[in-house]
Structure formats: structure tokens, C-alpha cells
Amino acid sequence: MLLVAPGAGGALAALPGAAAALARLLPALRPGQRAGAGAGAGVSSSAAGAAGAAPPAADAAGVSSSAAGAAAPAPLAADAAPLRVTVNGRPLEVPAGSSVYQAVKRAGGYVPVLCKHPKLDNTPGACRRARPHALAAAHTTVAAAAAARATPTPPRPAPPRRRVCMVEADGRLRASCCTPAADGMVINTDTPEAKHVITGTLALLRANHPEDCMACDANGRCEFQDLITRYNVPKWPKLKEVSEDYQEHSATWTLYDQSSPAIRLDLEKCIKCSRCVTTCEEVQGMNVLGMFNRGRDRHIGFVHESEMELSKCIDCGQCVSVCPVGALYENTHWRQVLEALQDKRKVMVVQTAPAVRVAIGEEVGLAPGAVETGQMVAGLRALGFDYVFDTDFAADLTIMEEATELLGRLKAAWGLAEPAPDGSPAPPLPMFTSCCPAWINLVEADYPDLLPHLSSCKSPQQMMGSVVKAIWAKRAGVKPEDVCFVSVMPCVAKKEEAARPEMGRAGYRDIDYVLTTRELGRLFRHLRIPVASLPAEPYDSPLGTGSGAAVLFGNTGGVMEAAVRTAVFAVTGKELATMHLEAVRGLKGIKEAALDLEVAPGLTKQVRVAVASGVANARRLVEEVRAGRAHYDFVEVMSCPGGCIGGGGQPKTRGPDVLSRRMAAVYGIDDRSTLRQSHNNADIKELYASELGSPNGHTSHELLHTTYTDRSAEASVGYSAAAREAAEVPPEITAAREASTIPGPPGGWHFQPLFRRQAPPDHAARPRRQAPAQLP
């Protein structure tokens, strides 16, 4: 909870004891420090970590070493001259506004980092340790500190705060990630002092980290493990073994959270880099994760430090994709799948999503798209799968159902459809896609008024599960419960989707296990399968045939483009003149387009479409639609930036252009395909003719469609800006303000809760999720 002064941007702890202590300390601060504290953004997180630590002194560049990570750089002129710097003896020019880290990278040098990530446009500087003199000052009394300040002493530069990314710049140790480069600066990354600080910081982090690497799912793909190996960091005694109060401190929060079927949290492995918090708040706009407490007690957690399942987490997995260790990881199933493959008690069937084929090569050290789809299929057969099917087939099936549903809604809105026999109103426009389970979770939890706007079609994963268990198993002469169906997906939320109660029938589930792309790579490495050198093999027929339109499901805008290809043919009877819908391609967060359709002779209607990728962009688009400022007929939403190619289960490749390369690989597969429209898939036509009848017919509706539930009352309450303004001031805050001796601002203190109070969960209601069924 914060007490915020209007217009000041500051925050002050409101407990009476803290207020009194701060009132005693304020007069003792030097004038420069008081001015800086009053003009800044409140108490810095680093200063709050150690009681009694003096505010950090500004370095030679005028930037406080603790606030540099949070401070926004001043805007630069467009014609600002480049900076001339020297990195390890090599002169070069860097753009104005570059950091020291960027200068070193531009020179081809190496600086270790743990908190900085290419996906995140910030410099948190979180991998730091307190200054030695600050730690010592924390043990001195206020009287001793006052006496020391009363004696004039010559100023001395403050020792640098230890971070992992330390370099020597102009003869001083600095954190490269949050230190701006200056003209004429001399930077050295290989000095003994810098290496000593880096190794010492890593040793301290290792002393707080468990030594269970061999059993950790991040083993071999852990950035922290790589740095420990790179710098040969010594093993120091573990904090929990030598600290008497460790258990007392750690007992105030939950170290492990496995309440979600998609994501698990292990705080013992957390290095407090805050990447996940930044991603959840700034990239996805969810604000579900946050940092709790200060100093050694600082840790990540969900709202009210409740279980993940009780929060409004939608399982998009973007926090997992940036975690440098194994603190946040998908709820892995690769061990269960491996056991089932080796037991051979069931018929093992697997499907692979479009985005997996362009990213699996990264798990074996190759570029995006370097491993051919056929090589991946061969690798899956080498693992022991009996049948390998393509989710592209189900994506074509999805397009047939979704395009038919969209045309039905459009005709009803245009007055060209017959009224429903039961007199029920036609489903409203715009129609939102339903392929992304994280988006479905968001709508059910935050936007229940949009439930009628969602397409009732299942996702391709679940459509394939229904077809395999209900149709293919019968044709193959196998009982559905004797089939173990595994999905390989780029998405963490697919694990939660497969565990939903409605995604199955009596006695079995449509999908037994969901593996991420990372888990599939782990299986290949575990069994030493050289997937990149295997000869290509085709998918099994008939559920292995997919069109180029289906492959586009891996990219943002791909579902829209595939649906338009089929919808235009369904209305006009003609194929699109060009297969590329450029208006919805690319990595832009929100895209829109308009399409003219001749729905009848002499009658042309305009169809307005929009595409959003990333939850923050989806929220902005939804708010525009709800406010009546934007009008669309069809909207595609993918919760992950870039679509499924940027899913939370994809390889943790750090290249800045990895999404562009994956996207180009998807478009390349479509361009090379001879079959590029879903409605021209012969196996899809045969399935409708023999089993399903017609798109959106009775049989297909029972098998391929689903329903949604308003779950806004099951998760914790929201914490939007409007909700914070309307929050009731708790009694303890009121008492603290009355007891405080610190004069408040002219406008008075405003109460701003970090999180709103959580309503007790209704245990009688049906849970939003259900644990996945386990094989006997």
C-alpha cells in the first residue's frame, strides 16, 4: 500500500513506526540528499533494501547508480552526433544515447547480464549487491552516524554497487547496463577488478541458489548456469545452512506454487532479476506478477501472495520465456511422455503445431527454420511415436468452421439470413477468434461481456483431439482410452486448455499431454536423436495433410489471412487474386484492413478486420471497440507478441530478430506449398463427407465447438487504474496518517493500493481449471 502525494510522484511508507523513523532521519540527511529525495520518485528500491544505507552518490556522469535503471533518458535530438568511445583498445562510434553495454556489444565484446533481455526495453540493474560500506552502516546506530556526519571529512567517491554486468569505464567500475556512454569514454571489460566483482557477485548469487541442476528442467538452457561455468565461480556455503534466521524469513511466503496446470513457480531458484515482473506489467499489461518485501526478503509473487491459480494469470507464459533460470517454468510433461513411449502400453499419437517446425532447430543450435518439417517428423518417430499427425489439418478444419460461422454472423447483420427457428438473436459482431487459450482466459476473467462475441470453434489442438479420439480411433479399431495423444505446441497455455473439464468425454480426455517446443527439444537431446541430420519423412495420412493457409496460424495475422482466403471463395466462388494479405502481416501490435465482398449481384459489402498480438495491444483494441471508437467485423487476437512464433513455450533464443526470422520461415512454407487454401484440402472434404456432414452442422458442432463461462468472480478482483482510484482506504492507513508527524502535501495524501483486496473464492463454483489426467 502506498500514500501518494498528488503531482509529486513520490511514495512514502505509512506505518506509524516507519513514519516516525523517517521523520527522525530526514533532518540528518545532507541538503543535497534531501533535495534529491524530494524531487525524485520516492524511495528507491535499492535504498529500501538495506536499512540505514545512505542514498547513492551520483557518479561522474551525473547518474545515480541506484536510480539509473529506472530513470528515463532525456530525449535526444534527431541529428545528435555519434559518440566516440574506445572498447578494449578498439575505437568506434556509437549512436548518441547508447549505454556502455550497447557500446560493448557494438564492438563485438562480451558483458555478462542476468536482468537485461532483448525483449525488454529497460535497464533494471537488478543483479546487484549492496555496497560494503552500506552494509556496515546498517549496523551502526543513528547517534554514531550523526556524530560521524558532524565531523568534517573530505568527500570520497562511493564504492560501486556490485552487479553482474560490471566494466571499467574511465578508470571506474560501472554497471554497463544502466551507465550512459559518453564521448571519449574508455571502456575495458577484462580488467582484474571487473572480473573479481563479477565473480564475487555470481558467488553470492550461487550461495542463495539450490544445487539441483541435474534434475532442473532448465539444465543446459540456464543463463545463470552458463555464467557460473564461464567464470568458474567457487561454491560458497549456502545461506540457508549458515543463517539462523533464514527459515524465519522464508516462512512468510510460499516457496513453491504448482497450482496452475500450465506454469510452476520455484522461488528457491529465483535470482530476483525482475524480468518476469517487467514482462507481465509492461509487455503484456497484465500486472499479475509483482515484487514483494525488501532486501533479503524481496521476492516475486502473485496478487496478495496468493496461489497462481487464484490470480488473474492467463498462462500466456511470457514470464517463463524471459526467466534466466528455472524459477518460472512450464509444468513439464516430457518425463511422463517418455515413460509412456517406453512402456508401449498405449498407441502413441502426436501432433505438431505450425510454429513448432520453424523453431525446433533452435533447440539443437540451429537457426529458425533450419530443421525441415520432415526431419522433425522423423525425429518424433525415432522417439517411439506410432503415428505423427499435423495440426495443420486441424487448422484447415478450424478455418472451415470459423469462416462459415463468420459468414453466418455477417449475413445476419446485413439482413441476408433467415431468422433462427427458435427466434433467438443472431450472435453479435465483431466476432473474435478463439484459437488462443490465453486470450480465452482473459475474456472469461476480465471481459465476460465479450463471451457472445467469441467464435464457438475449438482451437486446432482441441479439434484434432476430438477427431483423433472420436473418429480416427474408431477407424483404427482402437478404444479412445487406449490412445495416448500428445500435442507439441509453442504455447504454455495449451496445457491449461487441454486440462479444461469440457475438453473431453466420459472416461478420457481429448489431449493427454501437451509438450512445449522446449520440452520436445529436451526429449531429442535426452535420447541423443540427431534430428538435424535425419532424412525427412512425411506425416501420417489422412490427418497429416495441411495447406499453406494452415501454416500461417503460427504468425500473428495468419488466422485472419487463412479465413479471408476461404471466406472470399465461399461468397464469390472465386479464389483470391493474390494470396498475400499484406495489411495483416508483420510484427506490428495492432493491424487493420478492409475487404469489399460482392455478397449478391450488385450488392457489395465492406468487411472490416483487425489483428492484435500481445495482451497489452489486445486490451487497447478491446477498449476501443467497447467504447464505440472502433468498428470491426472480425478480430484476431493472439496473446503472445508476434503470435504463436513468440509463444511462451518456444526456445529462449535471445537474438533481437528471432521473431522476424521465424515469421519469414512460416511465410516461406506457405509460399512453397502447392495447396494454399483450407477449402481445397481433399482430406478435409472427405472428413465432412463421411463423418461431419457440413461446416457448422449438427455433428460438427457437437464435436468441434465449445462454450465459455463467465469466470470474472472466480479470480482475484481487478486492479486497473479506475479500480485503484475507487478503492476504500483501509482503517490501518487512516490511523497511520493521523499518527504521522510528517507534514503532508497541500493536496493531502491519496491512497493507492498496490493490489485491491481479494474476495474469498467461491469453492462451490466449478474451478476454472482441472488437473490433467495421468496415465495409469
Side-chain angles (χ1 to χ4, degrees), residues 619-758:
R619 285 185 181 275
R620 283 193 287 269
L621 188 144
V622 166
E623 293 301 331
E624 291 293 307
V625 171
R626 295 171 80 186
R629 293 187 294 267
H631 303 277
Y632 304 109
D633 300 304
F634 187 32
V635 181
E636 175 203 310
V637 177
M638 294 293 173
S639 295
C640 296
C644 295
I645 55 172
Q650 292 284 70
K652 297 183 179 183
T653 306
R654 291 177 56 89
D657 61 342
V658 61
L659 289 184
S660 299
R661 298 171 71 181
R662 291 174 185 169
M663 180 171 282
V666 168
Y667 287 137
I669 295 175
D670 173 46
D671 291 339
R672 294 189 299 270
S673 299
T674 56
L675 174 63
R676 302 190 67 182
Q677 302 93 356
S678 301
H679 54 273
N680 290 333
N681 189 329
D683 290 334
I684 292 289
K685 294 179 180 180
E686 189 278 331
L687 183 63
Y688 276 109
S690 61
E691 301 286 350
L692 299 178
S694 60
N696 270 32
H698 177 72
T699 303
S700 61
H701 220 281
E702 285 189 348
L703 201 62
L704 307 179
H705 291 247
T706 186
T707 58
Y708 309 105
T709 306
D710 179 358
R711 309 193 189 277
S712 57
E714 296 181 16
S716 57
V717 294
Y719 22 85
S720 62
R724 287 197 294 265
E725 289 296 327
E728 181 182 356
V729 180
E732 60 269 22
I733 296 298
T734 303
R737 289 189 301 190
E738 294 175 353
S740 175
T741 59
I742 302 177
W749 294 106
H750 282 188
F751 169 65
Q752 178 180 325
L754 295 181
F755 299 105
R756 288 191 63 192
R757 288 186 171 181
Q758 179 178 343

Side-chain angles (χ1 to χ4, degrees), residues 114 217 362 440 483 614:
L114 282 175
D217 285 311
E362 300 166 40
I440 298 299
V483 175

Side-chain angles (χ1 to χ4, degrees), residues 462-609:
Q462 297 304 137
M463 281 196 181
M464 181 66 91
S466 299
V467 170
V468 166
K469 291 291 185 77
I471 296 177
W472 177 85
K474 181 174 63 177
R475 291 183 176 183
V478 182
K479 294 180 180 180
E481 55 268 26
D482 290 335
V483 175
C484 180
F485 193 20
V486 180
S487 290
V488 183
M489 296 286 146
C491 177
V492 171
K494 289 293 182 182
K495 294 175 179 285
E496 181 272 334
E497 180 186 44
R500 280 175 169 252
E502 62 268 24
M503 297 301 178
R505 288 157 189 79
Y508 65 89
R509 306 201 60 77
D510 291 335
I511 304 295
D512 295 289
Y513 295 107
V514 178
L515 302 180
T516 61
T517 310
R518 289 192 295 265
E519 289 179 87
L520 179 59
R522 181 69 178 262
L523 276 174
F524 284 149
R525 296 193 302 273
H526 182 77
L527 296 182
R528 309 293 197 275
I529 295 177
V531 62
S533 61
L534 295 177
E537 297 181 10
Y539 284 102
D540 288 301
S541 183
L543 305 184
T545 304
S547 67
V551 178
L552 295 180
F553 273 57
N555 289 343
T556 172
V559 177
M560 179 70 65
E561 189 167 348
V564 167
R565 292 181 186 180
T566 294
V568 169
F569 178 81
V571 173
T572 66
K574 300 177 182 178
E575 302 289 357
L576 277 173
T578 175
M579 293 297 166
H580 293 182
L581 193 59
E582 296 293 344
V584 298
R585 291 193 170 192
L587 291 172
K588 187 178 178 182
I590 299 178
K591 297 160 283 188
E592 57 183 12
L595 181 69
D596 293 328
L597 281 180
E598 186 178 356
V599 297
L603 179 61
T604 300
K605 292 289 185 178
Q606 188 180 70
V607 179
R608 294 154 298 185
V609 300

